[in-house]
Amino acid sequence: MVSEQQLISKITWRLMPFLGVLYLIAYIDRQNVSFAKLDMVSALGMSEYAYGLGASLFFIGYFLFEVPSNLLLTRFGASRWFARIMISWGIVTIALAYTQNATMFYILRFLLGVCEAGFFPGVLYLLTLWFPEDYRGRMVGLFMIFSALANAVGAPLGGTLLDLDGLLGLAGWEWVFLATGVPAVIAGIVTLFYLDDTPEKAKFLNDEEKKWLHDRLAREKSGMDEHSDNGFKALLNPRVLVMALCYIGFPLAAYGLSYWLPTIVKGFGVSNTANGFINIIPWVIVAVALWAVPAAADKVARKTPYIVIPAFVGAISLALSAIFANPTLQFVFLCVAAAGIFAGQPVFWSLPSRFLKGAGAAAGIAAINSVGNLGGFIAQNVVPWIKDETGSNILPMFFLAVCLAVAGVLVIIVGRMLAARQAISV
């Protein structure tokens, strides 16, 4: 007889550390421009605006190719498609080390978004194939913890690579791209041989375990929308559209905070080294929240409060960080805000799999993520504009707070839509 806890533990240890390391590499590759910026702008004679525009073009490529990428994943399988994603984004990251001018920077940043499109929603879709509904929130939280780790180690890593300036005739910013691009290529090759596409193809599961998991997932997915003939039909689902709209506020607040947190801490009068280590603190708190909140949500039927309450706490904390002038209080509120922004997201991502499956789930999850990540484009353009107009590093936090609060309100609407649909089906 199959032990549910032992089986879930076996799958978790097989998949989650590996997927988490891939996400850590991806997140660092996405954020490395903030480190390279310190030397790259002057080296290429680019303006701050030109660099910011180029950095944000990543999100345009990401937006355009997210849904097609996830649908291709269902056709080619996770191992081959994830390998393609990682190898291609690694190559483009390496190419960024040889950027000669602004135009080349724009093209490569756009291509990086195209290449990486599909990784995060692809993993979310993959988790629906491996884990029953009761465990998905925790698994997404465990997966996203590695993004917090990436933020925690990113600053010290970026500073170390910049200090390699002149080694082998390469500039520090060139080392940033080379050292973060090569691991992606290596990880892509490893993925091709390590990752199993589905439980049915898994060599580490026996036939009895495969049958138990298949039957459990089949029961949960009965009656859901599949759109197996055309995954793009899922994009017309009203719940998908509303979820895509409300998700914008979460990446917007996250990127806005992570982009400006080092600048805010620097304004406290600390050294660059101290700044890097101080910035580890909020991401450690985020990591704890990413485990605790989804774990609590998986034990109850109503998920919405575990998304909305952290979002409102995050919004209030962002606003308070702008109201209080005391540096210590500002930092405390920003730490709480970071936890609030991220803690409910794994629970949020457990919602689409409650009404979509198959190609519909792949397309729907990708659509929500692609539209939502336009928040990153907004954050990297609107937040600097607010700072330039006001001359304040703190006032942009009000803008982020409003966006996050609106996202929380929209999640309440989504929760009611899901509840109404379940009531009709019963």
Side-chain angles (χ1 to χ4, degrees):
M1 183 175 179
V2 175
S3 168
E4 178 176 339
Q5 294 302 322
Q6 289 181 356
L7 176 56
I8 296 300
S9 178
K10 180 190 289 188
I11 297 173
T12 300
W13 281 105
R14 171 74 181 186
L15 290 183
M16 300 315 299
F18 182 72
L19 293 174
V21 170
L22 298 185
Y23 192 37
L24 187 148
I25 295 172
Y27 215 87
I28 290 177
D29 279 1
R30 186 182 297 187
Q31 298 288 347
N32 55 17
V33 290
S34 63
F35 311 135
K37 171 182 177 289
L38 299 176
D39 291 341
M40 192 177 183
V41 170
S42 58
L44 298 182
M46 297 170 62
S47 67
E48 291 283 340
Y49 173 78
Y51 191 88
L53 175 62
S56 64
L57 286 176
F58 167 90
F59 297 100
I60 303 302
Y62 197 85
F63 168 74
L64 294 175
F65 289 88
E66 188 92 319
V67 174
S69 178
N70 240 30
L71 290 176
L72 288 170
L73 182 151
T74 65
R75 176 177 298 181
F76 292 105
S79 59
R80 284 184 289 176
W81 196 244
F82 282 163
R84 193 284 304 164
I85 289 175
M86 287 179 288
I87 292 172
S88 62
W89 99 46
I91 291 173
V92 173
T93 300
I94 293 170
L96 279 163
Y98 301 95
T99 303
Q100 301 296 314
N101 49 54
T103 301
M104 185 175 178
F105 181 59
Y106 293 164
I107 294 172
L108 290 175
R109 281 294 294 179
F110 176 80
L111 288 177
L112 187 66
V114 172
C115 291
E116 192 183 322
F119 175 72
F120 182 79
V123 170
L124 297 181
Y125 169 67
L126 188 66
L127 296 181
T128 69
L129 304 180
W130 285 91
F131 292 97
E133 187 177 287
D134 291 342
Y135 299 92
R136 288 178 197 152
R138 272 170 285 180
M139 294 305 113
V140 177
L142 184 60
F143 175 64
M144 290 185 65
I145 283 174
F146 284 85
S147 67
L149 295 177
N151 276 301
V153 305
L157 176 63
T160 300
L161 293 173
L162 284 175
D163 285 341
L164 297 179
D165 187 56
L167 181 64
L168 301 179
L170 297 173
W173 65 268
E174 292 174 323
W175 278 113
V176 169
F177 291 121
L178 288 173
T180 55
V182 171
V185 175
I186 296 174
I189 296 172
V190 173
T191 298
L192 196 59
F193 298 97
Y194 180 86
L195 189 63
D196 296 299
D197 292 335
T198 62
E200 290 75 17
K201 297 180 180 179
K203 298 180 179 63
F204 68 95
L205 297 180
N206 60 44
D207 291 339
E208 188 179 8
E209 291 170 331
K210 292 178 182 178
K211 184 180 186 305
W212 183 93
L213 188 59
H214 176 272
D215 292 345
R216 171 71 175 269
L217 294 175
R219 288 196 302 271
E220 291 183 352
K221 293 178 180 179
S222 61
M224 292 184 184
D225 302 328
E226 180 167 11
H227 305 297
S228 58
D229 57 331
N230 183 0
F232 283 101
K233 289 183 179 179
L235 307 185
L236 302 178
N237 190 310
R239 289 164 291 179
V240 171
L241 297 176
V242 177
M243 287 191 71
L245 181 63
C246 70
Y247 186 58
I248 291 177
F250 292 97
L252 196 156
Y255 281 107
L257 180 66
S258 62
Y259 188 80
W260 285 105
L261 189 57
T263 302
I264 292 171
V265 173
K266 187 175 181 178
F268 297 164
V270 300
S271 67
N272 289 331
T273 300
N275 191 335
F277 282 101
I278 290 173
N279 270 279
I280 293 175
I281 297 173
W283 302 113
V284 171
I285 297 173
V286 167
V288 174
L290 279 170
W291 174 254
V293 173
D298 278 345
K299 298 176 182 178
V300 300
R302 291 189 66 235
K303 311 294 184 184
T304 305
Y306 292 88
I307 309 170
V308 174
I309 293 175
F312 287 160
V313 170
I316 293 171
S317 298
L318 285 170
L320 290 175
S321 74
I323 293 174
F324 288 91
N326 182 277
T328 302
L329 284 177
Q330 286 180 346
F331 184 71
V332 169
F333 284 128
L334 290 176
C335 288
V336 175
I341 292 167
F342 283 91
Q345 291 189 42
V347 188
F348 176 90
W349 284 116
S350 70
L351 300 182
S353 62
R354 287 174 167 258
F355 61 91
L356 292 172
K357 65 178 181 178
I365 291 171
I368 295 167
N369 190 60
S370 63
V371 173
N373 269 277
L374 288 178
F377 179 85
I378 297 170
Q380 291 190 348
N381 286 276
V382 175
V383 171
W385 176 78
I386 294 175
K387 178 184 180 298
D388 290 341
E389 289 295 314
T390 63
S392 171
N393 289 326
I394 298 298
L395 286 180
M397 297 301 106
F398 279 120
F399 169 71
L400 301 180
V402 171
C403 293
L404 189 59
V406 171
V409 172
L410 290 174
V411 169
I412 295 176
I413 296 174
V414 171
R416 291 178 177 175
M417 292 174 69
L418 293 179
R421 177 59 182 265
Q422 289 174 349
I424 293 175
S425 64
V426 172

